[in-house]
Amino acid sequence: MNAPTKTVVIEYEDRTVRHFMLASVIWGAVALLVGVVVASQLNYWQMNFDVPWLTFGRLRPLHTNAAIFAFVGNMMFAGIYYSTQRLCKTRTASDLLSRIHFWGWQLIILAAAITLPLGYSRSKEYAELIWPINIAVALIWVVFAINFFWTLKRRNEPSLYVALWFYIATIITVTMLYVVNHLQIPTSWTHAYPVFAGVQDGLVQWWYGHNAVAFFLTTPILGIMYYFLPKAAERPVYSYRLSIIHFWSLVFIYIWAGPHHLLNTSLPHWLQMLGMLFSLMLWAPSWGGMLNGLLTLRGAWDKLRTDPVIKFFVAAITFYGMATFEGPLLSIRVVNSLSHYSDWTIGHVHSGTLGWNGFMAAGLFYWMAPRLWGTKLHSVALANFHFWIGLVGILFYVASMWVSGVMQGLMLNATTDGGTVLAYPNFVETLNAIRPLMLLRVLGGVFYLTGFLIMVYNLWRTIRSGRPVVETREVHVEVSSNQDRMSWKEVVNNDPVIFTVVGLAFMCAWFFLPSYANLAALISGVILCWLGVQRFQAAGKSWGYWYDRLLENYLPFSVLTLVAVAIGGVIQILPTVTVNRAKNVEDRIQKPYTPLELAGRDLYVSEGCYNCHSQMIRTMVPDVLRYGDYSRLGESIYDYPFQWGSKRTGPDLARIGGKYPNVWHYNHMKDPRAVSPGSNMPNYAWMLDKKTDIKGLPAKIAVQQRLGVPYPAMSRDEIQQQAIEQGIAISADLKKAGAFALPDSQMVALIAYLQKVGQFEAPEERPAETPWNEKPFPVVPALPDKHRTAQTAPQNSQPN
C-alpha cells in the first residue's frame, strides 16, 4: 500500500549558486594568469622584476591556492548548492548562512591574495595561509557544514543519492584534515609555528596535502559528476552497485596514501610501504568511478558530437582516469626515485587539475548558466573552440612535463665508473637541458588560458541575454516516513560493520605484529574475507536492506564515513609522536638554531624557498654522490615547519651549512648568475635594505621552547643581544671580503641560517656544561681569490 503524501511547493535558492559560479569564473582567470606568469619565470628570471612580492617563491603559492580554493572551491560550492536542493527536494536551510558562506569565502581568498605576495606564509603546500586566515577558513567551513547538514535534516526525499555521499565525505574529511594540519602556536598576528616538526610534520603535511587533493579536488567533483552527467546525458547512472563500491573503497583507501610523497626519505620504512600499498590499491576504486561515469553515456554517445557539455564531461572523466592511473604508478618506490622532485610530478598534478577539475568546471558552467539565467548558451561554436584549444593546451603542458621530468630524473640519477661518479655533476646542466620543454609548458598554459577567457566571454554574453530565474517545483512528500529513525544498534550490530571492523583489526595486526604472527594475521584476514563473501551470498537481500535503511538516515551514514576516513590517519600519525622524540633520532641530532639563525630560517620560509629547494637527501646513491650523506630523522627534529620540499628546481640544501664562505652566499643572493651562470633564481638584492625583525625573536624563542626545542633560559635582552652580536660578526666577515651588509639586514640573517643548515651532533656528544648561547659564533672565513673558483663553485653550486 502506498503511503499517504502531500504536495509541497518549493522555491529553490539559486542566487548563491549564481554568485559562486561567477566567483569561480573570475578567480579561475586570475589563477590561470598567475600560473602562466610563474611558469614563465622559470624560463626568464627577469620576470621576477626584482620586486619582492612578484618573486616565484611568493607567487607560486598564490597560484596554487587560487586554483584550488578560489577556482575549484567556488565551482564546488556552486555545484553542491544547486544539486543538494534538487536531490533533497527542499530549499537550502538558511539563506543567511549561504550569504555568510559566500562572502566569507571571498574575503578569505582576497586575504590570501594580499598576504601571500607579501611573504606571509607557513611554507606548507596547500596550507600556506597564516593562522588568522586559517581560523576564518575553519569558521566559514563550519557555516557551510551546518547549512548542508541542516538541509539534509529538512529534506523531502528520504534516501540519500550517491552525489550526497561524496559531499558528506568531503565536508567531514576536510574538517579533520584542516584542523590537524593547522595546529599551531602563534608568535604574532602574522606568524606561528606548527606543533609538529621534522618527520612528524612531513607525515602530517602530506596526509593533509595528498588528501586535500582527494577530498577537495576529487570527491566533491565526483559528486557533481554523479548528478550533472546523468542530467546532461539524460541517462541514469550506469551502476548503482558500482557507485557503492566506488564510494566506500575510495574514502577508506585514499586517506592512507599520503606517505607516498615521502618515499626514499628518512620516513620510517613501514610508513613508506604502507603508503605505496594503499596507493596501488587506489587503482581499483578510481577506475571503477571513471568507468561508471563513462558508461553512463551508453546510448547517448551521439551527443558527444553536438553537445559541448558532454565533450567537457567525457574529457574530464578521462583525465580523472589518467591521473588516477598515474598517481599509483608514481607511488612505486622505483618509479618514484626517478619522478620525485622532478617536473613529472608537476605534469601529473596539472593533468588532474586542468583536465579533471578544469573541464568539469567548464561543463558545469555551460550546463548551469542557461538554466540559471533562463536563456540559451550564446555560442556553441565558441564552447567547442574552448574545448579543443583547452585540450591542446593540456596535452602540450602535460607532455612537456612528462618528458622534462623523465629527462631531468635520468640526468640527475645518471652515474659512470661503476656508479661512483655523477655523469652530470653540475645541477645547471639538467636545468638547461629542459628549458625548451619548460617553454612548451608556458605555451600550453597560454592555450588553456585563452580557452578559459573564451568561456568567460561566452558566459558573459549568455548572462546578458537572460535574467535570473527563480525556479519553483511541486514535490510529493510522504506524510509519515522512516527517514532518520534508524537506531544505533541497528547501525552497528550487523554483518557489514562487524566484518569490516574485524577485517581492519587483522590488517593492523599484519602491519604491526612481528614475523610469523603477522603472517597468521594475514591468513586470518583472507579467511575472514572468504567468510564474508559466503555470508553475503547466504544473506540474500538483508545486506541491501540494511544499506537502504542507512541511506535514509544521514547522521549514522555520516558517522560511519568519519570512522572510515579517520582510521587511516590515526594508525599512521600516532606512532610518529614517539618517532620524533630526541631519543629516537638514529645517529644524529640537530643543533638548535641561534636567535639570528631562527630569524633567517623564518625569512627562508616566507620567501618560499621550499618551492625550489629540498632539504632531504634521499637514500639513493646519486643523491648521496651529489649532495652528501643521506638525511637522518634527527637532523630535522627541531624544524618547525619541516623543509623537505617536493620539487627541485635547484639543488638540495641539506648539507649547505658551512660549505661556502659568507661572501659566496652574499653574492649568490644578490645576483645568482654571478656565481652560478645559467641560474633562473630571482635576485634578492633587496634583502640588503630590509631589516630583520629582531624584536620579534623573544616571542618566537618562547614558542620554540614550548614545543620542546632545548633553548636555555634567556631574557628578552639576551636574545636580542645574541642576534645582534652574530649579525655583527657576519657583517664584519663580509666586509673583509669586500662586501657590505648591515648586521640587522635580512641578508645577514638568511646567511646565518644557510650556514647552519645540516649542522648536527651525535646525541651522546651534546655538551651540558656550555650552553650554545655562551659559545662564540662560528664564522666561515672568506677564501682568498686564488682559491675561490676551485672551492666555491663545485658541482652543485647552483641553488635555484
PDB file of all heavy atoms in Angstrom, residues 660-666 725-741 748 751 755 777-783 788:
ATOM      1  N   TYR A 660      80.169  26.881   1.972  1.00  0.00           N
ATOM      2  CA  TYR A 660      80.703  28.053   1.281  1.00  0.00           C
ATOM      3  C   TYR A 660      80.937  29.178   2.286  1.00  0.00           C
ATOM      4  O   TYR A 660      80.291  29.226   3.338  1.00  0.00           O
ATOM      5  CB  TYR A 660      79.729  28.547   0.204  1.00  0.00           C
ATOM      6  CG  TYR A 660      79.268  27.486  -0.754  1.00  0.00           C
ATOM      7  CD1 TYR A 660      77.933  27.080  -0.790  1.00  0.00           C
ATOM      8  CD2 TYR A 660      80.158  26.895  -1.638  1.00  0.00           C
ATOM      9  CE1 TYR A 660      77.505  26.116  -1.678  1.00  0.00           C
ATOM     10  CE2 TYR A 660      79.746  25.928  -2.540  1.00  0.00           C
ATOM     11  CZ  TYR A 660      78.414  25.538  -2.557  1.00  0.00           C
ATOM     12  OH  TYR A 660      77.986  24.573  -3.433  1.00  0.00           O
ATOM     13  N   PRO A 661      81.818  30.141   1.964  1.00  0.00           N
ATOM     14  CA  PRO A 661      82.002  31.291   2.848  1.00  0.00           C
ATOM     15  C   PRO A 661      80.801  32.224   2.796  1.00  0.00           C
ATOM     16  O   PRO A 661      79.977  32.158   1.876  1.00  0.00           O
ATOM     17  CB  PRO A 661      83.256  31.960   2.281  1.00  0.00           C
ATOM     18  CG  PRO A 661      83.290  31.572   0.852  1.00  0.00           C
ATOM     19  CD  PRO A 661      82.731  30.174   0.801  1.00  0.00           C
ATOM     20  N   ASN A 662      80.713  33.105   3.766  1.00  0.00           N
ATOM     21  CA  ASN A 662      79.579  34.028   3.826  1.00  0.00           C
ATOM     22  C   ASN A 662      79.451  34.867   2.571  1.00  0.00           C
ATOM     23  O   ASN A 662      78.348  35.141   2.104  1.00  0.00           O
ATOM     24  CB  ASN A 662      79.715  34.948   5.038  1.00  0.00           C
ATOM     25  CG  ASN A 662      79.612  34.201   6.342  1.00  0.00           C
ATOM     26  OD1 ASN A 662      78.836  33.258   6.455  1.00  0.00           O
ATOM     27  ND2 ASN A 662      80.387  34.604   7.342  1.00  0.00           N
ATOM     28  N   VAL A 663      80.588  35.288   1.994  1.00  0.00           N
ATOM     29  CA  VAL A 663      80.530  36.170   0.829  1.00  0.00           C
ATOM     30  C   VAL A 663      79.959  35.431  -0.383  1.00  0.00           C
ATOM     31  O   VAL A 663      79.346  36.054  -1.263  1.00  0.00           O
ATOM     32  CB  VAL A 663      81.925  36.758   0.522  1.00  0.00           C
ATOM     33  CG1 VAL A 663      82.884  35.679  -0.015  1.00  0.00           C
ATOM     34  CG2 VAL A 663      81.817  37.917  -0.446  1.00  0.00           C
ATOM     35  N   TRP A 664      80.133  34.098  -0.458  1.00  0.00           N
ATOM     36  CA  TRP A 664      79.524  33.354  -1.566  1.00  0.00           C
ATOM     37  C   TRP A 664      78.004  33.461  -1.485  1.00  0.00           C
ATOM     38  O   TRP A 664      77.327  33.712  -2.486  1.00  0.00           O
ATOM     39  CB  TRP A 664      79.956  31.886  -1.512  1.00  0.00           C
ATOM     40  CG  TRP A 664      79.500  31.082  -2.696  1.00  0.00           C
ATOM     41  CD1 TRP A 664      80.195  30.843  -3.837  1.00  0.00           C
ATOM     42  CD2 TRP A 664      78.224  30.435  -2.857  1.00  0.00           C
ATOM     43  NE1 TRP A 664      79.443  30.080  -4.713  1.00  0.00           N
ATOM     44  CE2 TRP A 664      78.221  29.818  -4.136  1.00  0.00           C
ATOM     45  CE3 TRP A 664      77.091  30.324  -2.058  1.00  0.00           C
ATOM     46  CZ2 TRP A 664      77.139  29.100  -4.611  1.00  0.00           C
ATOM     47  CZ3 TRP A 664      76.000  29.602  -2.541  1.00  0.00           C
ATOM     48  CH2 TRP A 664      76.018  29.010  -3.798  1.00  0.00           C
ATOM     49  N   HIS A 665      77.453  33.258  -0.298  1.00  0.00           N
ATOM     50  CA  HIS A 665      76.000  33.388  -0.133  1.00  0.00           C
ATOM     51  C   HIS A 665      75.543  34.809  -0.418  1.00  0.00           C
ATOM     52  O   HIS A 665      74.482  35.024  -1.023  1.00  0.00           O
ATOM     53  CB  HIS A 665      75.596  32.976   1.287  1.00  0.00           C
ATOM     54  CG  HIS A 665      75.728  31.503   1.547  1.00  0.00           C
ATOM     55  ND1 HIS A 665      74.913  30.573   0.961  1.00  0.00           N
ATOM     56  CD2 HIS A 665      76.599  30.806   2.333  1.00  0.00           C
ATOM     57  CE1 HIS A 665      75.255  29.356   1.368  1.00  0.00           C
ATOM     58  NE2 HIS A 665      76.272  29.471   2.193  1.00  0.00           N
ATOM     59  N   TYR A 666      76.344  35.776   0.000  1.00  0.00           N
ATOM     60  CA  TYR A 666      76.025  37.194  -0.249  1.00  0.00           C
ATOM     61  C   TYR A 666      75.914  37.439  -1.751  1.00  0.00           C
ATOM     62  O   TYR A 666      74.921  37.993  -2.235  1.00  0.00           O
ATOM     63  CB  TYR A 666      77.120  38.062   0.378  1.00  0.00           C
ATOM     64  CG  TYR A 666      76.988  39.544   0.097  1.00  0.00           C
ATOM     65  CD1 TYR A 666      76.333  40.384   0.991  1.00  0.00           C
ATOM     66  CD2 TYR A 666      77.548  40.109  -1.049  1.00  0.00           C
ATOM     67  CE1 TYR A 666      76.223  41.747   0.738  1.00  0.00           C
ATOM     68  CE2 TYR A 666      77.444  41.461  -1.312  1.00  0.00           C
ATOM     69  CZ  TYR A 666      76.779  42.277  -0.429  1.00  0.00           C
ATOM     70  OH  TYR A 666      76.684  43.622  -0.678  1.00  0.00           O
ATOM     71  N   GLU A 725      74.918  40.410  18.029  1.00  0.00           N
ATOM     72  CA  GLU A 725      76.344  40.063  18.034  1.00  0.00           C
ATOM     73  C   GLU A 725      76.695  39.135  16.874  1.00  0.00           C
ATOM     74  O   GLU A 725      77.729  39.304  16.222  1.00  0.00           O
ATOM     75  CB  GLU A 725      76.710  39.406  19.365  1.00  0.00           C
ATOM     76  CG  GLU A 725      76.732  40.369  20.543  1.00  0.00           C
ATOM     77  CD  GLU A 725      77.051  39.674  21.851  1.00  0.00           C
ATOM     78  OE1 GLU A 725      77.233  38.429  21.821  1.00  0.00           O
ATOM     79  OE2 GLU A 725      77.087  40.350  22.893  1.00  0.00           O
ATOM     80  N   GLN A 726      75.826  38.147  16.603  1.00  0.00           N
ATOM     81  CA  GLN A 726      76.105  37.257  15.483  1.00  0.00           C
ATOM     82  C   GLN A 726      76.019  38.018  14.165  1.00  0.00           C
ATOM     83  O   GLN A 726      76.815  37.783  13.249  1.00  0.00           O
ATOM     84  CB  GLN A 726      75.145  36.070  15.466  1.00  0.00           C
ATOM     85  CG  GLN A 726      75.516  35.020  14.420  1.00  0.00           C
ATOM     86  CD  GLN A 726      74.663  33.768  14.501  1.00  0.00           C
ATOM     87  OE1 GLN A 726      73.683  33.730  15.233  1.00  0.00           O
ATOM     88  NE2 GLN A 726      75.043  32.749  13.748  1.00  0.00           N
ATOM     89  N   GLY A 727      75.066  38.941  14.057  1.00  0.00           N
ATOM     90  CA  GLY A 727      74.953  39.755  12.855  1.00  0.00           C
ATOM     91  C   GLY A 727      76.189  40.607  12.632  1.00  0.00           C
ATOM     92  O   GLY A 727      76.670  40.748  11.501  1.00  0.00           O
ATOM     93  N   ILE A 728      76.725  41.163  13.705  1.00  0.00           N
ATOM     94  CA  ILE A 728      77.942  41.980  13.598  1.00  0.00           C
ATOM     95  C   ILE A 728      79.111  41.123  13.127  1.00  0.00           C
ATOM     96  O   ILE A 728      79.915  41.546  12.285  1.00  0.00           O
ATOM     97  CB  ILE A 728      78.251  42.642  14.951  1.00  0.00           C
ATOM     98  CG1 ILE A 728      77.187  43.709  15.276  1.00  0.00           C
ATOM     99  CG2 ILE A 728      79.649  43.262  14.951  1.00  0.00           C
ATOM    100  CD1 ILE A 728      77.312  44.290  16.671  1.00  0.00           C
ATOM    101  N   ALA A 729      79.204  39.903  13.646  1.00  0.00           N
ATOM    102  CA  ALA A 729      80.302  39.011  13.251  1.00  0.00           C
ATOM    103  C   ALA A 729      80.232  38.671  11.766  1.00  0.00           C
ATOM    104  O   ALA A 729      81.256  38.698  11.061  1.00  0.00           O
ATOM    105  CB  ALA A 729      80.256  37.739  14.084  1.00  0.00           C
ATOM    106  N   ILE A 730      79.038  38.370  11.264  1.00  0.00           N
ATOM    107  CA  ILE A 730      78.892  38.040   9.852  1.00  0.00           C
ATOM    108  C   ILE A 730      79.144  39.271   8.986  1.00  0.00           C
ATOM    109  O   ILE A 730      79.814  39.202   7.941  1.00  0.00           O
ATOM    110  CB  ILE A 730      77.494  37.456   9.583  1.00  0.00           C
ATOM    111  CG1 ILE A 730      77.344  36.109  10.286  1.00  0.00           C
ATOM    112  CG2 ILE A 730      77.235  37.306   8.078  1.00  0.00           C
ATOM    113  CD1 ILE A 730      75.957  35.511  10.195  1.00  0.00           C
ATOM    114  N   SER A 731      78.630  40.419   9.409  1.00  0.00           N
ATOM    115  CA  SER A 731      78.838  41.659   8.667  1.00  0.00           C
ATOM    116  C   SER A 731      80.315  41.998   8.570  1.00  0.00           C
ATOM    117  O   SER A 731      80.800  42.425   7.509  1.00  0.00           O
ATOM    118  CB  SER A 731      78.065  42.802   9.339  1.00  0.00           C
ATOM    119  OG  SER A 731      78.254  44.008   8.641  1.00  0.00           O
ATOM    120  N   ALA A 732      81.053  41.793   9.660  1.00  0.00           N
ATOM    121  CA  ALA A 732      82.495  42.073   9.648  1.00  0.00           C
ATOM    122  C   ALA A 732      83.226  41.136   8.699  1.00  0.00           C
ATOM    123  O   ALA A 732      84.151  41.546   7.983  1.00  0.00           O
ATOM    124  CB  ALA A 732      83.048  41.947  11.063  1.00  0.00           C
ATOM    125  N   ASP A 733      82.807  39.878   8.676  1.00  0.00           N
ATOM    126  CA  ASP A 733      83.445  38.923   7.777  1.00  0.00           C
ATOM    127  C   ASP A 733      83.172  39.286   6.318  1.00  0.00           C
ATOM    128  O   ASP A 733      84.053  39.157   5.455  1.00  0.00           O
ATOM    129  CB  ASP A 733      82.932  37.515   8.076  1.00  0.00           C
ATOM    130  CG  ASP A 733      83.580  36.472   7.185  1.00  0.00           C
ATOM    131  OD1 ASP A 733      84.785  36.207   7.361  1.00  0.00           O
ATOM    132  OD2 ASP A 733      82.877  35.934   6.318  1.00  0.00           O
ATOM    133  N   LEU A 734      81.955  39.722   6.020  1.00  0.00           N
ATOM    134  CA  LEU A 734      81.637  40.161   4.666  1.00  0.00           C
ATOM    135  C   LEU A 734      82.480  41.366   4.269  1.00  0.00           C
ATOM    136  O   LEU A 734      82.946  41.471   3.123  1.00  0.00           O
ATOM    137  CB  LEU A 734      80.141  40.492   4.561  1.00  0.00           C
ATOM    138  CG  LEU A 734      79.161  39.324   4.651  1.00  0.00           C
ATOM    139  CD1 LEU A 734      77.727  39.828   4.706  1.00  0.00           C
ATOM    140  CD2 LEU A 734      79.332  38.371   3.472  1.00  0.00           C
ATOM    141  N   LYS A 735      82.671  42.275   5.204  1.00  0.00           N
ATOM    142  CA  LYS A 735      83.451  43.476   4.919  1.00  0.00           C
ATOM    143  C   LYS A 735      84.893  43.120   4.557  1.00  0.00           C
ATOM    144  O   LYS A 735      85.492  43.714   3.652  1.00  0.00           O
ATOM    145  CB  LYS A 735      83.423  44.408   6.125  1.00  0.00           C
ATOM    146  CG  LYS A 735      84.065  45.770   5.866  1.00  0.00           C
ATOM    147  CD  LYS A 735      83.881  46.684   7.062  1.00  0.00           C
ATOM    148  CE  LYS A 735      84.495  48.053   6.767  1.00  0.00           C
ATOM    149  NZ  LYS A 735      84.333  48.975   7.938  1.00  0.00           N
ATOM    150  N   LYS A 736      85.453  42.119   5.234  1.00  0.00           N
ATOM    151  CA  LYS A 736      86.814  41.673   4.908  1.00  0.00           C
ATOM    152  C   LYS A 736      86.893  41.140   3.480  1.00  0.00           C
ATOM    153  O   LYS A 736      87.942  41.230   2.839  1.00  0.00           O
ATOM    154  CB  LYS A 736      87.242  40.582   5.883  1.00  0.00           C
ATOM    155  CG  LYS A 736      87.472  41.053   7.306  1.00  0.00           C
ATOM    156  CD  LYS A 736      87.867  39.870   8.187  1.00  0.00           C
ATOM    157  CE  LYS A 736      88.019  40.316   9.634  1.00  0.00           C
ATOM    158  NZ  LYS A 736      88.357  39.160  10.521  1.00  0.00           N
ATOM    159  N   ALA A 737      85.800  40.576   2.992  1.00  0.00           N
ATOM    160  CA  ALA A 737      85.784  40.015   1.644  1.00  0.00           C
ATOM    161  C   ALA A 737      85.359  41.033   0.596  1.00  0.00           C
ATOM    162  O   ALA A 737      85.176  40.687  -0.575  1.00  0.00           O
ATOM    163  CB  ALA A 737      84.847  38.820   1.604  1.00  0.00           C
ATOM    164  N   GLY A 738      85.162  42.280   1.007  1.00  0.00           N
ATOM    165  CA  GLY A 738      84.805  43.330   0.057  1.00  0.00           C
ATOM    166  C   GLY A 738      83.322  43.497  -0.165  1.00  0.00           C
ATOM    167  O   GLY A 738      82.915  44.137  -1.137  1.00  0.00           O
ATOM    168  N   ALA A 739      82.488  42.944   0.713  1.00  0.00           N
ATOM    169  CA  ALA A 739      81.029  43.082   0.598  1.00  0.00           C
ATOM    170  C   ALA A 739      80.510  43.861   1.801  1.00  0.00           C
ATOM    171  O   ALA A 739      81.116  43.856   2.875  1.00  0.00           O
ATOM    172  CB  ALA A 739      80.358  41.722   0.521  1.00  0.00           C
ATOM    173  N   PHE A 740      79.368  44.507   1.628  1.00  0.00           N
ATOM    174  CA  PHE A 740      78.816  45.305   2.730  1.00  0.00           C
ATOM    175  C   PHE A 740      77.360  44.916   2.971  1.00  0.00           C
ATOM    176  O   PHE A 740      76.550  44.859   2.051  1.00  0.00           O
ATOM    177  CB  PHE A 740      78.894  46.796   2.403  1.00  0.00           C
ATOM    178  CG  PHE A 740      78.257  47.659   3.460  1.00  0.00           C
ATOM    179  CD1 PHE A 740      78.901  47.907   4.667  1.00  0.00           C
ATOM    180  CD2 PHE A 740      76.990  48.190   3.258  1.00  0.00           C
ATOM    181  CE1 PHE A 740      78.301  48.688   5.643  1.00  0.00           C
ATOM    182  CE2 PHE A 740      76.381  48.972   4.234  1.00  0.00           C
ATOM    183  CZ  PHE A 740      77.048  49.220   5.429  1.00  0.00           C
ATOM    184  N   ALA A 741      77.051  44.659   4.231  1.00  0.00           N
ATOM    185  CA  ALA A 741      75.678  44.389   4.657  1.00  0.00           C
ATOM    186  C   ALA A 741      75.546  44.788   6.113  1.00  0.00           C
ATOM    187  O   ALA A 741      76.423  44.481   6.928  1.00  0.00           O
ATOM    188  CB  ALA A 741      75.331  42.918   4.486  1.00  0.00           C
ATOM    189  N   VAL A 748      71.888  39.273   6.087  1.00  0.00           N
ATOM    190  CA  VAL A 748      72.778  38.693   7.099  1.00  0.00           C
ATOM    191  C   VAL A 748      72.063  37.570   7.848  1.00  0.00           C
ATOM    192  O   VAL A 748      72.648  36.513   8.116  1.00  0.00           O
ATOM    193  CB  VAL A 748      73.265  39.786   8.066  1.00  0.00           C
ATOM    194  CG1 VAL A 748      73.931  39.173   9.292  1.00  0.00           C
ATOM    195  CG2 VAL A 748      74.236  40.730   7.353  1.00  0.00           C
ATOM    196  N   ILE A 751      71.922  34.499   5.622  1.00  0.00           N
ATOM    197  CA  ILE A 751      73.237  33.866   5.553  1.00  0.00           C
ATOM    198  C   ILE A 751      73.501  33.057   6.816  1.00  0.00           C
ATOM    199  O   ILE A 751      74.013  31.928   6.761  1.00  0.00           O
ATOM    200  CB  ILE A 751      74.334  34.925   5.330  1.00  0.00           C
ATOM    201  CG1 ILE A 751      74.220  35.528   3.928  1.00  0.00           C
ATOM    202  CG2 ILE A 751      75.720  34.327   5.533  1.00  0.00           C
ATOM    203  CD1 ILE A 751      75.151  36.698   3.683  1.00  0.00           C
ATOM    204  N   GLN A 755      74.179  28.947   6.773  1.00  0.00           N
ATOM    205  CA  GLN A 755      75.417  28.381   7.313  1.00  0.00           C
ATOM    206  C   GLN A 755      75.144  27.352   8.412  1.00  0.00           C
ATOM    207  O   GLN A 755      76.032  26.575   8.778  1.00  0.00           O
ATOM    208  CB  GLN A 755      76.329  29.493   7.865  1.00  0.00           C
ATOM    209  CG  GLN A 755      76.857  30.452   6.813  1.00  0.00           C
ATOM    210  CD  GLN A 755      77.878  29.813   5.885  1.00  0.00           C
ATOM    211  OE1 GLN A 755      77.909  28.604   5.693  1.00  0.00           O
ATOM    212  NE2 GLN A 755      78.719  30.631   5.279  1.00  0.00           N
ATOM    213  N   PHE A 777      80.291  32.642  18.068  1.00  0.00           N
ATOM    214  CA  PHE A 777      79.595  32.256  16.860  1.00  0.00           C
ATOM    215  C   PHE A 777      80.593  31.836  15.789  1.00  0.00           C
ATOM    216  O   PHE A 777      81.545  32.558  15.491  1.00  0.00           O
ATOM    217  CB  PHE A 777      78.753  33.425  16.329  1.00  0.00           C
ATOM    218  CG  PHE A 777      77.629  33.782  17.243  1.00  0.00           C
ATOM    219  CD1 PHE A 777      77.685  34.926  18.021  1.00  0.00           C
ATOM    220  CD2 PHE A 777      76.520  32.960  17.351  1.00  0.00           C
ATOM    221  CE1 PHE A 777      76.655  35.252  18.870  1.00  0.00           C
ATOM    222  CE2 PHE A 777      75.492  33.279  18.199  1.00  0.00           C
ATOM    223  CZ  PHE A 777      75.557  34.429  18.966  1.00  0.00           C
ATOM    224  N   PRO A 778      80.409  30.663  15.199  1.00  0.00           N
ATOM    225  CA  PRO A 778      81.324  30.241  14.139  1.00  0.00           C
ATOM    226  C   PRO A 778      81.101  31.083  12.890  1.00  0.00           C
ATOM    227  O   PRO A 778      79.970  31.326  12.483  1.00  0.00           O
ATOM    228  CB  PRO A 778      80.920  28.784  13.883  1.00  0.00           C
ATOM    229  CG  PRO A 778      79.505  28.712  14.312  1.00  0.00           C
ATOM    230  CD  PRO A 778      79.343  29.689  15.447  1.00  0.00           C
ATOM    231  N   VAL A 779      82.166  31.543  12.306  1.00  0.00           N
ATOM    232  CA  VAL A 779      82.096  32.323  11.080  1.00  0.00           C
ATOM    233  C   VAL A 779      82.940  31.632  10.024  1.00  0.00           C
ATOM    234  O   VAL A 779      84.127  31.372  10.253  1.00  0.00           O
ATOM    235  CB  VAL A 779      82.596  33.769  11.298  1.00  0.00           C
ATOM    236  CG1 VAL A 779      82.609  34.515   9.976  1.00  0.00           C
ATOM    237  CG2 VAL A 779      81.723  34.485  12.309  1.00  0.00           C
ATOM    238  N   VAL A 780      82.335  31.277   8.896  1.00  0.00           N
ATOM    239  CA  VAL A 780      83.098  30.666   7.814  1.00  0.00           C
ATOM    240  C   VAL A 780      83.900  31.755   7.133  1.00  0.00           C
ATOM    241  O   VAL A 780      83.332  32.716   6.607  1.00  0.00           O
ATOM    242  CB  VAL A 780      82.158  29.986   6.799  1.00  0.00           C
ATOM    243  CG1 VAL A 780      82.952  29.366   5.668  1.00  0.00           C
ATOM    244  CG2 VAL A 780      81.317  28.949   7.498  1.00  0.00           C
ATOM    245  N   PRO A 781      85.206  31.695   7.161  1.00  0.00           N
ATOM    246  CA  PRO A 781      86.014  32.787   6.620  1.00  0.00           C
ATOM    247  C   PRO A 781      85.922  32.875   5.110  1.00  0.00           C
ATOM    248  O   PRO A 781      85.648  31.900   4.426  1.00  0.00           O
ATOM    249  CB  PRO A 781      87.436  32.407   7.071  1.00  0.00           C
ATOM    250  CG  PRO A 781      87.402  30.922   7.151  1.00  0.00           C
ATOM    251  CD  PRO A 781      86.018  30.581   7.650  1.00  0.00           C
ATOM    252  N   ALA A 782      86.168  34.084   4.605  1.00  0.00           N
ATOM    253  CA  ALA A 782      86.232  34.279   3.163  1.00  0.00           C
ATOM    254  C   ALA A 782      87.521  33.676   2.645  1.00  0.00           C
ATOM    255  O   ALA A 782      88.581  33.831   3.253  1.00  0.00           O
ATOM    256  CB  ALA A 782      86.172  35.773   2.836  1.00  0.00           C
ATOM    257  N   LEU A 783      87.445  32.970   1.514  1.00  0.00           N
ATOM    258  CA  LEU A 783      88.620  32.348   0.932  1.00  0.00           C
ATOM    259  C   LEU A 783      89.374  33.342   0.077  1.00  0.00           C
ATOM    260  O   LEU A 783      88.786  34.239  -0.534  1.00  0.00           O
ATOM    261  CB  LEU A 783      88.206  31.147   0.069  1.00  0.00           C
ATOM    262  CG  LEU A 783      87.545  29.986   0.805  1.00  0.00           C
ATOM    263  CD1 LEU A 783      87.110  28.942  -0.207  1.00  0.00           C
ATOM    264  CD2 LEU A 783      88.491  29.374   1.816  1.00  0.00           C
ATOM    265  N   ARG A 788      89.116  30.710  -4.635  1.00  0.00           N
ATOM    266  CA  ARG A 788      87.665  30.833  -4.648  1.00  0.00           C
ATOM    267  C   ARG A 788      87.005  30.020  -5.755  1.00  0.00           C
ATOM    268  O   ARG A 788      86.017  29.355  -5.560  1.00  0.00           O
ATOM    269  CB  ARG A 788      87.276  32.306  -4.776  1.00  0.00           C
ATOM    270  CG  ARG A 788      85.811  32.564  -4.512  1.00  0.00           C
ATOM    271  CD  ARG A 788      85.541  34.046  -4.347  1.00  0.00           C
ATOM    272  NE  ARG A 788      86.253  34.556  -3.182  1.00  0.00           N
ATOM    273  CZ  ARG A 788      86.535  35.836  -2.973  1.00  0.00           C
ATOM    274  NH1 ARG A 788      86.208  36.725  -3.879  1.00  0.00           N
ATOM    275  NH2 ARG A 788      87.160  36.219  -1.885  1.00  0.00           N
TER     276      ARG A 788
END
